[in-house]
């Protein structure tokens, strides 16, 4: 559910919504959501001084009942 919510949020921010993918992984530190976006959209998703990325992380933590990390990557990696 969290991955779908993050994907929906980010697809409405970027210019290339077809390049957005969110994968969920469990590890010892909790859940990890890996977000991949087009390289041209990375600045839009991170935002000035990381404000957009922090807002996305805040929304995810509000929706979740456990520890969740959100990593934002571009498709080149």
């Amino acid at each position: 559910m969290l991955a779908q919510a993050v994907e929906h949020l980010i697809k409405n921010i970027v210019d290339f919504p077809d390049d957005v993918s969110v994968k969920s992984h469990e590890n010892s530190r909790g859940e990890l959501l890996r977000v991949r976006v087009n390289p041209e959209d990375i600045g839009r998703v991170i935002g000035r001084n990381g404000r957009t990325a922090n807002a996305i992380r805040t929304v995810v933590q509000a929706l979740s009942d456990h520890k969740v990390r959100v990593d934002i990557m571009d498709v080149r990696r």
Side-chain angles (χ1 to χ4, degrees):
M1 179 197 119
L2 287 175
Q4 293 172 344
V6 170
E7 186 173 350
H8 179 74
L9 282 171
I10 293 176
K11 280 188 175 186
N12 288 302
I13 295 172
V14 299
D15 289 332
F16 300 98
D18 295 336
D19 292 343
V20 174
S21 73
V22 179
K23 303 224 184 215
S24 177
H25 302 279
E26 280 290 328
N27 60 24
S28 60
R29 294 171 52 188
E31 187 175 359
L32 170 66
L33 296 177
R34 287 199 173 142
V35 179
R36 292 187 183 268
V37 298
N38 189 294
E40 293 183 25
D41 288 327
I42 196 80
R44 191 178 283 259
V45 173
I46 293 173
R48 183 170 288 164
N49 295 324
R51 287 183 185 162
T52 305
N54 286 334
I56 291 168
R57 290 181 179 114
T58 301
V59 169
V60 168
Q61 279 305 129
L63 291 173
S64 176
D65 59 349
H66 58 280
K67 179 73 175 160
V68 179
R69 287 184 31 224
V70 179
D71 288 343
I72 300 169
M73 302 179 259
D74 61 38
V75 293
R76 291 179 287 182
R77 297 181 187 176

